[in-house]
Amino acid sequence: MVRTIIFVFALLSGWMVAKAQNPPTVTWDSKSLLIDGRRVCPVMGEVHYSRIPAGEWAEEVKKMKEGGVTMIATYVFWNHIEEQEGIFRWDGQRSLRGFLEVCRKEDMPVILRLGPYCHGEVRNGGIPDWAFTKGCRLRQQDPVFLDMVEKLYRQIFTQVQGLQWKDGGPVIAAQFDNEYRGHGAYLVALKRIAQRIGFDLPFYTRTGWPQLSSPVPYGEMLPLYGDYADGFWDKDTKEGTGNYYKGFNFKAFRSSTAIGTDILGKQEEKLSQGDEQYPYFTCELGGGSAVAYHRRPYVYPEDALSLAICKLGSGSNLLGYYMYHGGTNPEGMLNTLNECQTSPGTANNDLPVCTYDFQAPLGEYGQRAPHYYLLRPIHLFMHDWGETLAPMEPSLSGPEDLKKGEDTALRWAVRSQSPDDQASAFIFVNNYERFCQLLPKKNVQLEACGVKLPLMTIPSGCMAIFPVNIDGIRYATAQLVAKRDGRIYLMQIPGIPTTICMQNGKTLKNVKPRGTEHPVIGNICLMTKHEAEHLFLSATAPADEPLTVAYTKVREAGPLRTIVKGKAKVAEAPSEQDWEQAAVYTISLPAQLNSHLLKITYRGDCARLYAKGKLVADDFYYGRPFMYGLWRLPQDCNELELRILPLQPDAPIYLPREADKTAGEQVVGIVITRK
């Protein structure tokens, strides 16, 4: 029997449901955030409100909450709201206030990433083109630039006023600039401008990478870190380039030297002075990856889970995913708003004009990817045992500076209150690394706080969190998931026999899952992985059978273009003129299916979709289907035009192993399905 439960993660005992006159207090120390003095381990998901139509916000925020997200982060892209100097747009999907009102209704705290520079694969990193004509030094304490920033922040404040945390609103924090490596005084200057205007928030943040040239005074803003499974920004077009493999190991170093190497260059494993005194939080844990024209990573669901478990085991008490929800770039008035090599700033990658799906847990159109479910058990765990986990110190079992693919020993870590025999602990295991088939580890003896788990074999690809001295459990070779309504829910780890040893001395071996309604001992329920991934989710209607869609090729591709490298010395995406030589197909749409997804399986270099002559979607081919949400079509549109440019032999681009690298282009099939 599947219970239907409204999945609310906002700590109903006291965070967002408090009355506006008496909002919960939010503080922090060297360990964690505290809500009314209670330690919490939030799950933060990045979604860009201006990349999603306003009418979809409410449904998508609910999905994020159901996925276990307890806090949202969103950029406020300057050029999305002031593309033309002095003309601010807060209409439609650009309405920050409208989005914040949705978050307030959903009891979802929000961290605003204010810029002025954001990046986010937006044109110029979000700085409007006109700002480059002012003759001032951007992202520095130049009076002309700071005056522009003040005007921007004042406009943003009109959207935020009355919705700050102190007012009972959702805005709990703000980030200033992004991936900044200069003087900390610039970041403090941005904060002072915001405070003068009226921003008054429980805490403020900045990205903890790269190392600053001079520090920010302690307490001004919390540094947040990140790690990715792969980097579309790398100029190398080989598989597995860079040192992203380091993110798949437990390590004391909080940050990454692989993020943004196209802009930041080589980075040393050093934190800015004093940063180790802050709690260990992340804001950019790779929930997926964008796809650039020259480099097209294919990210696996297990990548995100492995990164998350390694961060938790290494001591992080806030997991922030970038991205958790993909999106679509809004239409620009003067230029397309995607990052491209031809723009005046942040011009190192060519991104698609429209799509910013990011292979995220929730895709561009809100479709749930496999890792949406894969990540849910640890999100539930963080919510229900966050107060226990947060003060625990990490103890790393093996070498931190492994070489790529090094497989000499199991990667595991312990977080515990103390080494005492009766202390509580969690054992974190990760036998996974992207592109590497790590071997099973036989006769492993895991131990924490004097408690030894049974000898076991850790399967290849296994990731798990085992409890020690938690809620009456001496140890279990299964993973804690949730603690609700007087019951404790455990997830069986595939390939590992479940043993549950209680603190009263009773031990059960080779325990089999019995679902959520039938405890295996006392109040403890053991579930399969699938049951754990769907725990507490409302029952959903079964998926429809995909409906095959008719299409007709009406024009063959013209002469192949010459692929040149742009000013960033990577392959340039096709120009508008190049698209005139694309192969053209027409797609006939059935009636009454405007709530469905169009799924185009094809091979080629890249593809575009047009409705009534207007570009509505695009895709750089990397082995996954080209998707489009039909509910976004103009009314009375029953035919689409699909254009595909052929893949060229020996093109200077990275295509993953999952992609069909056959030269030319072909539509394999088109179907309509539910999202």
Side-chain angles (χ1 to χ4, degrees), residues 20-196:
Q21 301 94 314
N22 187 30
T25 60
V26 179
T27 56
W28 57 270
D29 61 14
S30 63
K31 301 287 188 186
S32 71
L33 284 180
L34 297 98
I35 308 298
D36 279 343
R38 178 184 174 187
R39 294 195 182 279
V40 294
C41 289
V43 176
M44 184 168 70
E46 184 97 13
V47 57
H48 299 152
Y49 73 95
S50 57
R51 280 172 156 155
I52 297 177
E56 299 174 23
W57 287 340
E59 180 182 356
E60 299 313 307
V61 171
K62 286 179 182 177
K63 285 183 195 170
M64 293 180 72
K65 181 187 291 188
E66 289 184 337
V69 170
T70 57
M71 185 180 291
I72 276 176
T74 189
Y75 278 132
V76 183
F77 292 115
W78 188 359
N79 58 1
H80 282 195
I81 58 176
E82 195 188 6
E83 187 179 359
Q84 295 175 293
E85 186 176 5
I87 302 174
F88 286 89
R89 293 188 59 189
W90 297 111
D91 59 305
Q93 70 192 73
R94 291 171 167 85
S95 173
L96 175 59
R97 190 171 194 86
F99 179 73
L100 294 177
E101 291 284 9
V102 167
C103 292
R104 176 163 67 173
K105 290 178 183 177
E106 291 299 327
D107 298 326
M108 183 66 78
V110 177
I111 292 182
L112 295 178
R113 304 178 82 183
L114 297 176
Y117 174 81
C118 295
H119 200 186
E121 291 67 68
V122 166
R123 182 179 177 87
N124 306 326
I127 296 179
D129 282 39
W130 56 263
F132 290 85
T133 69
K134 298 299 181 180
C136 63
R137 295 169 299 164
L138 303 180
R139 301 179 70 194
Q140 296 188 48
Q141 288 180 277
D142 185 303
V144 175
F145 181 68
L146 293 183
D147 181 64
M148 292 190 291
V149 172
E150 181 167 352
K151 292 175 182 175
L152 168 67
Y153 282 7
R154 286 189 180 279
Q155 276 287 324
I156 294 173
F157 190 68
T158 66
Q159 302 288 298
V160 172
Q161 193 166 17
L163 295 174
Q164 297 189 88
W165 191 262
K166 66 176 185 176
D167 308 313
V171 182
I172 195 170
Q175 175 187 302
F176 301 107
D177 213 87
N178 192 61
E179 296 180 345
Y180 177 73
R181 71 184 319 161
H183 295 287
Y186 162 71
L187 297 176
V188 175
L190 297 180
K191 179 180 176 181
R192 297 292 179 260
I193 291 171
Q195 288 176 319
R196 286 199 306 270

Side-chain angles (χ1 to χ4, degrees), residues 176-340:
F176 301 107
D177 213 87
N178 192 61
E179 296 180 345
Y180 177 73
R181 71 184 319 161
H183 295 287
Y186 162 71
L187 297 176
V188 175
L190 297 180
K191 179 180 176 181
R192 297 292 179 260
I193 291 171
Q195 288 176 319
R196 286 199 306 270
I197 291 168
F199 283 93
D200 183 9
L201 302 170
F203 63 99
Y204 302 88
T205 73
R206 62 177 174 85
T207 41
W209 74 93
Q211 184 183 17
L212 294 170
S213 60
S214 64
V216 170
Y218 180 76
E220 291 283 357
M221 51 194 76
L222 279 63
L224 275 61
Y225 302 96
D227 249 320
Y228 286 88
D230 209 326
F232 66 87
W233 50 78
D234 272 299
K235 297 184 179 183
D236 196 321
T237 55
K238 298 184 181 67
E239 180 178 275
T241 191
N243 62 9
Y244 302 94
Y245 65 89
K246 292 187 175 184
F248 299 99
N249 188 29
F250 301 98
K251 57 183 182 179
F253 180 60
R254 299 182 175 191
S255 194
S256 168
T257 57
I259 300 178
T261 52
D262 58 326
I263 298 172
L264 305 174
K266 186 177 180 180
Q267 303 161 61
E268 295 183 20
E269 288 196 358
K270 291 183 179 179
L271 300 181
S272 297
Q273 181 182 336
D275 280 8
E276 68 285 348
Q277 301 176 59
Y278 291 99
Y280 181 5
F281 293 165
T282 71
C283 60
E284 290 200 19
L285 198 61
S289 174
V291 175
Y293 181 75
H294 75 283
R295 185 169 180 82
R296 310 179 188 185
Y298 188 111
V299 178
Y300 309 113
E302 295 80 9
D303 293 341
L305 178 60
S306 180
L307 290 174
I309 283 182
C310 286
K311 284 295 185 228
L312 275 182
S314 299
S316 180
N317 283 330
L318 185 155
L319 292 186
Y321 295 99
Y322 189 102
M323 297 287 293
Y324 189 84
H325 196 308
T328 309
N329 292 324
E331 186 177 2
M333 295 178 290
L334 305 177
N335 299 286
T336 58
L337 293 174
N338 55 310
E339 181 178 346
C340 54

